[in-house]
């Protein structure tokens, strides 16, 4: 996040990973477990930075019934976004912050916490963990892909 190029790379990775996850949630999760889409904000921020919206070939699949864990990863990342926004501002970095400053995702996360705090059968908890791991794995692959492209 130290400069606009690093920030652009971060936003592109976020877009490439989130786009297939958001699509999966839209098709597989009940509406109460579907976080607000973040890809439009990411695309707008990238455009303002003069960067294209990344074309992605990433695919995403998670086990049936894992939508709670999938949603938790996307929504929970909004807490880190607030920290990153504060760091950018403290460093005097301006620029687009639609993604980092979105208030809809923290609101959704608070709602999601209530759902997560309810009792769940062990199989439901296992499925949620599997879904969360699938999302983390996709983000790791996309970050590695971006770093490999930068090394070329």
């Amino acid at each position: 996040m130290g400069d606009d190029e690093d920030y652009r790379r971060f936003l592109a990775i976020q877009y490439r990973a989130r786009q297939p996850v958001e699509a999966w949630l839209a098709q597989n999760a009940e509406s109460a477990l579907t976080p607000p889409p973040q890809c439009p904000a990411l695309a707008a921020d990238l455009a303002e930075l003069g960067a294209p919206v990344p074309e992605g070939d990433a695919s995403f699949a998670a086990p049936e019934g894992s939508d709670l864990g999938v949603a938790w990863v996307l929504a929970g990342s909004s807490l880190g976004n607030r920290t990153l926004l504060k760091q950018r501002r403290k460093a005097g970095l301006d620029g687009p912050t639609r993604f980092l400053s979105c208030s809809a995702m923290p609101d959704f996360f608070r709602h999601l916490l209530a759902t997560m705090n309810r009792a769940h059968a062990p199989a439901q908890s296992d499925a949620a963990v599997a879904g969360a791991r699938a999302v983390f794995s996709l983000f790791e692959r996309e970050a590695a892909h971006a770093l490999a492209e930068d090394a070329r």
Side-chain angles (χ1 to χ4, degrees), residues 14 21 43 98 106 147:
Q14 290 290 317
V21 176
R98 290 169 195 83
L147 291 172

Side-chain angles (χ1 to χ4, degrees), residues 65-150:
S66 65
D67 45 348
L68 179 61
V70 173
W72 176 79
V73 172
L74 291 188
S77 71
S78 66
L79 301 174
N81 288 353
R82 295 297 181 177
T83 300
L84 294 173
L85 179 60
K86 287 177 186 175
Q87 289 174 347
R88 280 187 59 81
R89 288 182 174 156
K90 187 175 181 177
L93 297 170
D94 292 328
T97 61
R98 290 169 195 83
F99 173 65
L100 293 180
S101 64
C102 175
S103 63
M105 195 61 93
D107 291 345
F108 175 79
F109 186 63
R110 281 188 286 283
H111 158 77
L112 191 63
L113 283 175
T115 302
M116 292 183 71
N117 287 329
R118 290 187 207 128
H120 297 283
Q124 290 174 306
S125 296
D126 291 346
V129 169
R133 286 184 174 151
V135 177
F136 285 129
S137 178
L138 175 60
F139 272 83
E140 288 173 351
R141 285 193 314 270
E142 289 304 318
H145 174 79
L147 291 172
E149 280 186 354
D150 288 348

